[in-house]
Amino acid sequence: MAGWDDVPHLSEEDKENLMSSLPAHQRSARSKGIPSLGAGAIYPVPEDEIKCDPFEIPDYFKKAFGLDVGWNKTAAVFGAIDPDSDILYLTSMHYRGHAEPSVHAAAIRARGEWIPGAIDPASRGRSQKDGEALIDIYLDLGIDINPAINSVESGLYAVLERLSTGRLKVFSILTDWFTEYRVYQRDKNGKVKKSNDHAMDATRYLVMSGLELAKTKPFKKAERSPRSWRNN
């Protein structure tokens, strides 16, 4: 990739004039050489506007995740929502292919067994391996999971609205998420290109259904020993 800063003949004034002449969704692609944010982009919002540095999530933030399953790639996108500002932060992601559900479930549980999730509703169908519904497999593996609403266009609009209004931020460490974001496009007929979109689908499930399931971490009361009880 090459951007304007890599070419010596462009002055700062030239760069400012060029930037002001470009629509927002083309600025990163044209000025920094970042590919794909063009007319076909589903989410024409520059990365710089949604990317943020990681921070420690306060206990009062509610958490949930969206899950898109597949043999070639399974993606679980974890989010935490600030109840005061209604900003959803994407904080973590499990992103792996060619692994059994037990492997994915272990990675999901490691982020908090209490965190609920919304899964691709197609997972209610029978898997080719043993005829058992994938959603039942994940439930048996200890995952708090529910079928997501899979209204694609409504989901895309809901995500875009959050991105455009600053109510969806993504931790900068989610490099695989941003890789998909850059190539998430419609074809010439306006159809969503169904490739390299597992994290995008998981994000849509999170926004459409996961936020209604989101909850705070359960509070555990400190246990008092019999001796301390007698002394009080």
Side-chain angles (χ1 to χ4, degrees), residues 47-151:
E47 289 182 33
D48 291 346
E49 294 186 8
I50 63 176
K51 187 180 293 185
C52 69
D53 293 331
F55 61 90
E56 186 174 353
I57 301 298
D59 290 338
Y60 68 89
F61 279 26
K62 294 182 177 181
K63 294 183 179 181
F65 68 91
L67 177 62
D68 185 69
V69 294
W71 178 247
N72 290 325
K73 191 71 67 178
T74 288
V77 175
F78 290 78
I81 188 162
D82 181 347
D84 296 327
S85 64
D86 192 38
I87 295 177
L88 170 64
Y89 294 91
L90 303 187
T91 60
S92 177
M93 185 169 75
H94 168 68
Y95 196 71
R96 179 171 175 177
H98 306 130
E100 299 296 330
S102 58
V103 175
H104 303 307
I108 292 171
R109 290 197 307 269
R111 289 166 169 84
E113 295 186 8
W114 55 273
I115 302 176
I119 191 174
D120 179 359
S123 63
R124 289 179 292 189
R126 302 297 176 180
S127 65
Q128 294 180 353
K129 180 179 178 181
D130 53 18
E132 186 178 1
L134 275 172
I135 190 171
D136 291 334
I137 293 175
Y138 280 99
L139 287 169
D140 291 342
L141 289 168
I143 305 300
D144 182 1
I145 201 74
N146 298 268
I149 297 172
N150 195 23
S151 177

Side-chain angles (χ1 to χ4, degrees), residues 192-220:
V192 178
K193 293 183 179 180
K194 290 303 296 176
S195 61
N196 299 318
D197 61 354
H198 297 283
M200 297 297 100
D201 283 349
T203 301
R204 179 161 51 84
Y205 301 146
L206 170 61
V207 171
M208 285 293 284
S209 301
L211 295 184
E212 295 183 359
L213 304 168
K215 60 184 181 181
T216 57
K217 185 177 182 178
F219 175 74
K220 292 184 178 180

